[in-house]
DNA sequence: ACCTGAACACCGTTCAAGT
DNA sequence: ACCTGAACACCGTTCAAGT
């Protein structure tokens, strides 16, 4: 394993154990066993290292969506499955989730990160399209409906990760919110 | 204006002009004209100062929702109006929005901040309930539906503020996303 | 009561120098 | 090519001391 990859792995590990603020370049370097500024020989700065972590996870999510779409499940089951995987990732790795989907400084990097994020979106959109083609979801533009579902589920996961989802707010869990959303969308009329 | 309030105002101003990372206690103190650690005489730490900013804005949002509900608009118009105000706040003050709705370290403070956040949710829920009572929105539990709408709109605003809403993703704007969401929910059957 | 100044233990980042 | 050590300009936070 090259130093390059070890730095990314160490950053991801620190992210999981202590949140974004725990990912200092000094701590990452120490975990890998190099000097505190060796990371600068591999990444332009701290943001670039975090972006590298994000790219790996976006690629992982993309592959998961591709696998789900390849199954023999019916379209709506694929959608529910994909959303379940997505929510599980947000629940199990809240700090990574926030890095990928809710960090403006990382998103501003563009380039490879933006491309990786777009690929995962495109794969998810393909699942939504299957649902629309089987008339299970409303006949509105695919990209608009995908965007709305994507944003809604992101909102549920983000509120939960941010500790703002309380029973008083009607959202006992992300899973319940997703079920309600999908249930309401599937009940839609408008079958062409 | 007491030092207390001037510190909050200066923090909010720095938040607007330079984002969260620009709100250092030293910069806040300097803007107010006190020594770099005078803020500690008014707030326990940096998080507590940011929480004070958040509480003020939650209260402002709550009052806006109350005003909207007092108008003579029909329920669905009140809902659209409330969401429009909410989205405008997120668009015009992205850093503040993130502080209120997407910052786990601030949310963890609990206490007055959590109470202020809950009050704004309760007022928004009342507007949703009016829509349900007039059978314009589905007859599911009010708090669950409110939570879902709240989370969905949060997701749209957050993705936009995070620079992740691109035309390729179907979400040209928060307003379009809200229109699609509300449109789909209003088309729901299930009138009791 | 409210504020100040020095100090501590951190940061990210840069730079000259080593192998 | 890759790494190290010292250094710089920041931070949040604490503490003793001033008015």
């Amino acid at each position: 394993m090259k130093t390059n990859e070890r730095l990314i792995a160490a950053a991801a590990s620190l992210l999981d154990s202590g949140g974004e603020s725990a990912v200092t370049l000094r701590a990452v370097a120490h975990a890998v066993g190099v000097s505190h500024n060796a990371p600068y020989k591999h990444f332009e700065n701290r943001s670039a290292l975090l972006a590298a972590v994000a790219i790996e996870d976006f690629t992982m999510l993309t592959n998961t969506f591709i696998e789900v779409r390849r199954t023999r499940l019916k379209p709506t089951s694929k959608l529910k499955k994909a959303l379940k995987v997505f929510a599980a990732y947000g629940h199990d790795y809240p700090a990574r989730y926030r890095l990928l989907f809710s960090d403006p400084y990382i998103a501003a990097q563009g380039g490879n990160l933006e491309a990786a994020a777009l690929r995962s979106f495109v794969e998810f959109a393909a699942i939504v399209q299957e649902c629309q083609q089987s008339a299970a979801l409303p006949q509105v533009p695919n990209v608009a409906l995908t965007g709305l579902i994507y944003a809604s589920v992101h909102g549920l996961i983000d509120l939960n990760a941010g500790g703002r989802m309380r029973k008083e707010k009607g959202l006992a869990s992300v899973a319940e919110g997703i079920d309600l959303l999908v249930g309401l969308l599937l009940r839609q009329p408008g079958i062409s």
Side-chain angles (χ1 to χ4, degrees), chain A:
Chain A
M1 206 171 178
K2 291 170 185 169
T3 304
N4 192 356
E5 292 162 1
R6 295 180 67 209
L7 289 167
I8 294 174
S13 175
L14 283 165
L15 202 52
D16 291 339
S17 60
E20 210 218 275
S21 63
V23 188
T24 68
L25 286 183
R26 290 166 128 97
V28 171
H30 184 257
V32 168
V34 291
S35 74
H36 72 276
N37 58 7
Y40 285 93
K41 310 303 168 182
H42 302 273
F43 300 95
E44 196 176 346
N45 50 36
R46 181 176 180 270
S47 288
L49 172 59
L50 288 173
V53 174
I55 288 172
E56 283 200 352
D57 278 24
F58 267 125
T59 302
M60 183 269 292
L61 282 172
T62 301
N63 290 336
T64 303
F65 291 150
I66 290 173
E67 283 171 27
V68 169
R69 194 149 66 94
R70 276 186 188 152
T71 64
R72 289 186 167 278
L73 296 169
K74 63 178 183 178
T76 57
S77 296
K78 290 184 186 178
L79 177 65
K80 287 174 186 171
K81 174 77 175 167
L83 291 177
K84 198 166 291 183
V85 169
F86 192 54
Y89 172 74
H91 181 267
D92 295 339
Y93 305 99
R96 292 200 204 198
Y97 180 87
R98 295 183 67 78
L99 180 70
L100 271 68
F101 297 100
S102 206
D103 189 323
Y105 302 99
I106 297 302
Q109 295 235 325
N112 291 338
L113 175 57
E114 194 173 326
L118 185 56
R119 274 194 296 276
S120 76
F121 181 84
V122 166
E123 285 306 323
F124 180 64
I127 295 174
V128 172
Q129 185 151 49
E130 285 191 15
C131 292
Q132 292 186 283
Q133 281 167 350
S134 71
L137 282 180
Q139 303 300 305
V140 294
N142 168 254
V143 77
L145 183 60
T146 304
L148 178 61
I149 295 173
Y150 176 83
S152 295
V153 174
H154 164 64
L156 288 164
I157 296 173
D158 187 62
L159 287 177
N160 186 54
R164 286 180 167 78
M165 200 178 293
R166 300 287 152 69
K167 280 175 189 168
E168 312 91 87
K169 294 195 182 176
L171 299 168
S173 75
V174 173
E176 286 178 39
I178 291 175
D179 286 345
L180 177 58
L181 173 69
V182 174
L184 288 174
L185 292 179
L186 293 181
R187 277 206 294 159
Q188 281 289 136
I191 297 169
S192 70

